[in-house]
């Protein structure tokens, strides 16, 4: 996959060794739950894996939702996106490993996401946006593989002005594992002195790692972060207990000082490395009221969001997009719309 790759990992900084508080031996965080993503359709009908299927919101906190987009090989004319739709109260983080998505929003933000780039959109008090493949990509078809993560905002941040961060592929911070068998792409968060490019409202980390068959990745992980390991592609053995995890499965971890993942020697796609998403953050521990495109603290705030959207207070579609049959009704059965 053409997310950011590096020919010679030996030139990269190494992932720092985990350290335990009080000088004791660092403990691997145990796997406490494994779940398998449900398949769904998003937007105008593109296939996704609902990566957080079966995991309690309390264990996901500060994250609320994750879709793995594809991986799918489209024929000509088949690539799909979303229509214009609103959001309030959280952030969408869209990372594209293969394929191209164009993004535009009602504040004038936007850009093209491709080749390991990330678009980090803070919806805050309200925004409208569209996420769609460019016309030439629709015409040509091709492989699409990406993800969209929803990061919750604390109640004090839900009413911030919208913000748009275009994290280009060359901005991704790169490290290698100690044995050189894993490439670690740090999109947000810190590993030692290395910091990912994403600016976040609460402390969190987002990592895409590629691990060669048989190699091991050990990551120091803050004790006050939750810890989620999701397999984008391949076969993993997670934790000191070597719990098997395959494409579309997530492992929720308990307390400890480090995360340990081995890429299985035998991969389902022979010769391919393990592709992993590692997420963690400091939980907000606030009530979550979530309906459709809005993530707030109370049901009253959700009702207000729908009212404000109907009243046009979440923004306007740019004039060049206005058509007589423009349909802006937010749906409640589909998290992206
Ligand atoms: Mn959206």
């Amino acid at each position: 996959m053409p997310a950011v790759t590096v020919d010679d990992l030996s030139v990269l900084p190494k992932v720092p060794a985990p350290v335990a508080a009080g000088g004791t031996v660092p403990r691997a965080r145990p796997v406490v739950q494994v779940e398998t993503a449900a398949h769904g359709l998003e937007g105008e009908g593109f296939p996704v894996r609902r990566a957080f299927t079966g995991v309690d919101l309390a264990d996901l906190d500060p994250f609320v939702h994750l879709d793995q987009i594809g991986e799918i090989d489209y024929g000509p004319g088949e690539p799909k996106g979303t229509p214009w739709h609103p959001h309030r109260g959280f952030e969408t983080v869209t990372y594209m490993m293969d394929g191209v998505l164009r993004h535009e929003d009602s504040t004038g933000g936007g850009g093209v996401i491709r080749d390991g780039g990330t678009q980090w959109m803070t919806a805050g008090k309200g925004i409208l946006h569209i996420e769609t493949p460019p016309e030439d990509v629709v015409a040509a078809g091709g492989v699409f593989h990406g993800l969209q993560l929803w990061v919750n905002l604390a109640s004090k941040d839900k009413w911030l002005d919208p913000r748009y961060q275009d994290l280009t592929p060359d901005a991704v911070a790169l490290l290698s594992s100690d044995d050189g068998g894993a490439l670690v792409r740090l999109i947000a968060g810190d590993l030692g002195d290395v910091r990912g490019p994403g600016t976040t409202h609460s402390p969190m980390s987002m990592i895409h790692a590629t691990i060669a068959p048989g190699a091991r990745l050990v990551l120091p992980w803050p004790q006050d972060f939750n810890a989620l390991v999701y397999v984008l592609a391949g076969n993993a053995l997670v934790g000191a207990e070597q719990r098997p995890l395959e494409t579309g499965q997530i492992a929720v971890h308990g307390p400890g000082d480090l995360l340990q993942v081995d890429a299985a020697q035998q991969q389902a796609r022979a010769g391919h490395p393990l592709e992993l998403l590692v997420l963690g953050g400091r939980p907000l521990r606030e009530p979550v009221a979530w309906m459709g495109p809005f993530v707030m603290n109370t049901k009253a705030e959700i009702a207000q969001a729908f009212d404000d959207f109907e009243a046009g207070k979440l923004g306007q579609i740019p004039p060049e997009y206005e058509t007589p049959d423009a349909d802006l009704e937010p749906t409640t059965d589909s998290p992206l719309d």
Side-chain angles (χ1 to χ4, degrees):
M1 75 181 58
V4 178
T5 54
V6 175
D7 289 334
D8 180 7
L9 296 186
S10 70
V11 304
L12 299 176
K14 301 277 197 241
V15 173
V19 178
T24 55
V25 177
R27 295 171 304 145
R29 295 177 65 142
V31 175
V32 296
Q33 185 181 2
V34 169
E35 297 288 344
T36 302
H39 291 272
L41 291 174
E42 199 46 77
E44 292 165 335
F46 57 87
V48 295
R49 283 190 170 95
R50 311 288 191 195
F52 289 166
T53 303
V55 184
D56 282 351
L57 276 175
D59 294 322
L60 299 173
D61 189 9
F63 311 108
V64 289
H65 179 72
L66 175 63
D67 274 343
Q68 181 183 6
I69 304 165
E71 178 176 6
I72 181 173
D73 190 0
Y74 282 122
E78 291 179 347
K80 297 174 179 67
T82 74
W84 282 90
H85 59 279
H87 292 298
R88 174 181 277 177
F90 66 102
E91 303 182 289
T92 63
V93 180
T94 309
Y95 175 60
M96 291 300 292
M97 293 165 277
D98 265 313
V100 187
L101 272 185
R102 190 169 53 88
H103 170 265
E104 289 183 60
D105 67 49
S106 52
T107 72
V112 173
I113 319 164
R114 64 188 308 164
D115 300 332
T118 300
Q119 167 238 297
W120 200 297
M121 186 190 78
T122 305
K125 65 185 180 186
I127 200 166
L128 306 182
H129 76 163
I130 186 170
E131 304 149 289
T132 188
E135 282 178 22
D136 60 324
V137 173
V138 174
V143 176
F144 269 67
H145 191 195
L147 59 90
Q148 185 171 94
L149 172 70
W150 289 17
V151 183
N152 202 1
L153 290 169
S155 56
K156 67 179 177 58
D157 295 329
K158 288 187 182 295
W159 300 94
L160 291 173
D161 287 334
R163 182 175 71 182
Y164 180 83
Q165 299 178 65
D166 183 13
L167 310 179
T168 55
D170 61 350
V172 176
L174 303 173
L175 303 93
S176 93
S177 57
D178 198 46
D179 65 2
L183 171 63
V184 174
R185 303 170 189 83
L186 187 58
I187 297 163
D190 298 289
L191 281 172
D193 298 332
V194 181
R195 169 163 288 186
T199 299
T200 68
H201 288 277
S202 61
M204 60 159 282
S205 292
M206 174 177 173
I207 289 169
H208 169 204
T210 300
I211 310 175
R216 170 173 295 176
L217 175 63
V218 174
L219 292 169
W221 210 248
Q223 293 182 350
D224 61 346
F225 279 20
N226 66 344
L228 305 165
V229 170
Y230 177 75
V231 176
L232 294 162
N235 298 83
L237 301 164
V238 182
E241 61 269 55
Q242 304 259 296
R243 185 85 170 256
L245 208 65
E246 62 182 36
T247 304
Q249 289 191 314
I250 192 168
V252 182
H253 289 71
D257 307 299
L258 63 90
L259 292 173
Q260 175 180 314
V261 183
D262 295 299
Q265 194 69 53
Q266 300 296 323
Q267 294 287 318
R269 291 197 294 184
H272 285 261
L274 169 67
E275 302 288 349
L276 212 63
L277 182 72
V278 186
L279 295 171
R282 188 181 297 159
L284 302 174
R285 304 209 188 288
E286 293 183 352
V288 176
W290 170 15
M291 184 172 283
F294 307 125
V295 182
M296 304 301 289
N297 297 113
T298 67
K299 286 183 178 176
E301 289 172 335
I302 293 291
Q304 182 187 351
F306 279 98
D307 288 347
D308 287 350
F309 169 66
E310 294 294 335
K313 294 179 182 174
L314 271 65
Q316 303 295 326
I317 301 176
E320 61 269 30
Y321 281 92
E322 285 286 9
T323 57
D325 60 351
D327 175 13
L328 255 182
E329 288 299 310
T331 60
T332 55
D333 58 346
S334 170
L336 259 184
D337 288 350

